Amino acid sequence: MISVPKGTKDVLPQESYKWQYIENAARKVAKTFGAAEIRTPTFEHTEVFLRGVGETTDIVNKEMYTFLDKGGRSITLKPEGTAGVARAFVDNGLFSSALPSKLFYITQCFRYERPQAGRLREFHQFGIEFLGASDANIDAEVILLADSFLKEVGINNVTLYINSIGCKECRKKYQQALIEYLGKNAEDLCPLCKDRLAKNPLRVLDCKNDDCKKITAGAPKILDYICDDCSKHFEKVKRLLTVAGVDYKVDAGIVRGLDYYTRTVFEFVSNNIGAQGTVCGGGRYDGLIAELGGNDVPGIGFAVGIERILMLLENTGVEIPNPDKVKVYLAPMGEKEAEKAFELASLLRARGVAADFDHMGRGIKAQFKYADKIGVRYVAVIGSDELNNGAVKLKDMTDGKEEILKFSELVNKEF
Ligand code: ATP
Ligand code: MG
């Protein structure tokens, strides 16, 4: 027997409705904010992620699925959605279309990580990218969109943390202060952070190592270093979130794992799914489009991990409605009746009613057992009496009530 590769999962028919539920909610909420779907390739030239995610990030350093294709090109399976969308934006000249460009995507992502609960090698994200606007009202709107999506799927027990990491200018000043502080404690940092200290000190604030966390707890706070413009921008984001009734906590430790973020950064975190508690992360990335060869177009977005959302729903007992189940199961008691069942099922389906009938030549008892197993709502029994009378005996499986319906009544019934 060949099993699935480590860190990947099959979505089986009895659980795929949960995925559809999440995806439908994502599409619905995104559309209410005026966003349209964008679909980009599963793989890109590696360059897209080197530039678009950043060479000092965990993703680029150790998590990418990169290979040479048969033409000798370096190809990478997308580890996240934003860089590919930004590439497509530039590639297709979307900056000359109506701005802001409000985009959403639902995609699989690939990262070579150590698999554990909430951490897979192939996982899925729902993401938003709003490109072309720099006003704080779009930052607040993107955060509100994430909040609305979480509420739409039934999640209320997450905390929103926000922060501003300033623009290039104020970050320079902050980095100096940070390097000075971390430099004094360099010996106690984990080996990775020693390296980060030289290459990208902000990343140290993102480290999950306990020793590093102790050190970073006393580090200078970026909010004390941001310039007037960045500060005003952040104040407005907070004001608008309050107007929208979205609760938040300011957390100077939120810096995000990706290189291209500027100003607003945020995460929605849950306490109900263990160590991998971040269900959504996002922020502003005003330099990204230019980094990928486009104009100077600002942008902001987020990505939600769909597997973590499903875990959270399961762990907090949120029931997901299953609309996939067969509504009417036709149970014939003989050969002739079976042909009638075939005909009635076809007529019901043509009206959009999920209908099925016996394909296995089972006796009536076994058919009821099967119908019960697959969770049908109604069983329509067709015996020889019923066939002679042009009727079925329709049993409601939820309360056991039965009624006789003419074939035409069954076919036209509102289910
Ligand atoms: P983490 O801190 O958990 O490693 P991250 O900062 O790498 O997260 P992002 O790149 O911001 O995550 O991705 C956005 C979201 O995608 C995360 O908040 C999470 O819900 C989900 N996610 C990230 N990596 C994985 C993974 N390996 N498996 C499942 N979901 C993931
Ligand atoms: Mg990660």
Side-chain angles (χ1 to χ4, degrees):
M1 196 176 64
I2 304 172
S3 55
V4 286
K6 206 173 157 184
T8 67
K9 270 188 182 156
D10 297 310
V11 177
L12 298 174
Q14 63 267 27
E15 55 191 7
S16 51
Y17 73 93
K18 297 181 184 172
W19 287 78
Q20 287 161 15
Y21 167 82
I22 306 282
E23 290 162 7
N24 290 342
R27 291 200 156 84
K28 180 178 157 193
V29 174
K31 283 178 185 167
T32 63
F33 281 75
E37 185 174 8
I38 182 162
R39 301 188 189 201
T40 65
T42 302
F43 56 87
E44 297 274 354
H45 293 294
T46 301
E47 183 76 16
V48 169
F49 304 112
L50 295 186
R51 286 211 259 155
V53 178
E55 307 207 15
T56 62
T57 58
D58 284 352
I59 292 181
V60 169
N61 274 329
K62 44 183 195 189
E63 296 172 0
M64 294 207 305
Y65 278 90
T66 298
F67 57 94
L68 291 181
D69 72 5
K70 291 199 165 63
R73 304 167 197 91
S74 181
I75 294 292
T76 296
L77 303 184
K78 60 167 120 166
E80 53 92 62
T82 305
V85 170
R87 195 269 314 137
F89 181 84
V90 176
D91 217 4
N92 295 285
L94 293 186
F95 45 81
S96 52
S97 67
L99 295 180
S101 196
K102 293 182 156 189
L103 308 169
F104 79 88
Y105 59 81
I106 297 171
T107 186
Q108 58 273 78
C109 299
F110 306 88
R111 295 186 194 177
Y112 194 76
E113 302 205 66
R114 195 167 66 79
Q116 50 198 293
R119 203 177 280 295
L120 291 138
R121 290 184 174 170
E122 181 181 18
F123 64 100
H124 298 77
Q125 287 185 342
F126 157 50
I128 288 286
E129 317 293 351
F130 284 6
L131 295 153
S134 54
D135 195 284
N137 63 21
I138 210 147
D139 302 46
E141 184 171 270
V142 164
I143 296 174
L144 180 60
L145 200 167
D147 185 73
S148 306
F149 163 74
L150 293 169
K151 291 195 172 121
E152 175 74 21
V153 296
I155 293 171
N156 295 297
N157 44 0
V158 285
T159 308
L160 164 63
Y161 295 97
I162 62 171
N163 190 23
S164 173
I165 55 170
C167 58
K168 259 195 180 142
E169 291 313 309
C170 35
R171 203 140 83 224
K172 245 186 237 159
K173 272 192 274 169
Y174 174 65
Q175 285 211 1
Q176 269 171 9
L178 186 64
I179 290 169
E180 207 169 292
Y181 171 84
L182 292 176
K184 284 187 221 150
N185 300 282
E187 272 171 27
D188 299 325
L189 291 173
C190 75
L192 201 61
C193 279
K194 283 194 181 111
D195 192 46
R196 285 174 175 145
L197 181 54
K199 290 188 183 144
N200 192 345
L202 226 63
R203 248 350 39 87
V204 177
L205 300 178
D206 225 13
C207 186
K208 310 256 156 50
N209 178 296
D210 281 338
D211 290 334
C212 296
K213 272 190 185 163
K214 265 183 221 150
I215 296 169
T216 53
K221 305 274 180 276
I222 190 148
L223 286 177
D224 297 329
Y225 289 78
I226 63 175
C227 65
D228 269 4
D229 280 354
C230 287
S231 177
K232 275 189 196 140
H233 190 272
F234 191 48
E235 289 308 313
K236 185 167 175 185
V237 173
K238 291 193 286 184
R239 225 165 41 238
L240 292 176
L241 287 177
T242 306
V243 168
V246 178
D247 290 331
Y248 62 83
K249 288 189 176 139
V250 174
D251 182 344
I254 305 282
V255 291
R256 310 287 308 128
L258 314 178
D259 271 356
Y260 48 63
Y261 284 102
T262 49
R263 292 193 163 172
T264 313
V265 287
F266 61 95
E267 289 184 358
F268 286 84
V269 182
S270 163
N271 291 322
N272 296 93
I273 48 171
Q276 270 58 252
T278 306
V279 292
C280 171
R284 177 167 279 288
Y285 44 80
D286 289 348
L288 177 64
I289 298 294
E291 182 65 42
L292 288 168
N295 299 11
D296 196 11
V297 177
I300 176 159
F302 69 73
V304 171
I306 297 182
E307 281 82 356
R308 290 190 197 175
I309 295 287
L310 286 168
M311 259 170 80
L312 183 52
L313 291 175
E314 182 145 346
N315 292 1
T316 51
V318 176
E319 192 84 26
I320 299 177
N322 183 353
D324 288 351
K325 290 188 176 157
V326 169
K327 252 298 152 34
V328 185
Y329 181 83
L330 296 135
M333 295 175 77
E335 192 86 10
K336 263 198 202 145
E337 291 84 352
E339 292 203 5
K340 197 64 189 174
F342 178 89
E343 184 190 333
L344 292 173
S346 308
L347 291 168
L348 283 165
R349 289 166 179 164
R351 277 192 50 228
V353 178
D356 209 350
F357 59 93
D358 175 53
H359 295 290
M360 309 295 280
R362 289 189 175 108
I364 191 72
K365 246 191 167 169
Q367 288 194 57
F368 265 100
K369 219 169 152 182
Y370 173 76
D372 195 45
K373 222 181 202 167
I374 63 169
V376 308
R377 173 69 194 269
Y378 297 97
V379 175
V381 177
I382 315 172
S384 55
D385 280 358
E386 281 85 9
L387 192 62
N388 288 337
N389 296 331
V392 300
K393 189 157 69 183
L394 189 73
K395 181 172 179 178
D396 186 334
M397 299 294 278
T398 54
D399 57 15
K401 278 192 187 136
E402 293 180 343
E403 59 174 330
I404 303 291
L405 287 183
K406 289 274 175 209
F407 292 152
S408 60
E409 290 173 326
L410 174 77
V411 167
N412 292 308
K413 186 176 159 71
E414 283 309 317
F415 285 102

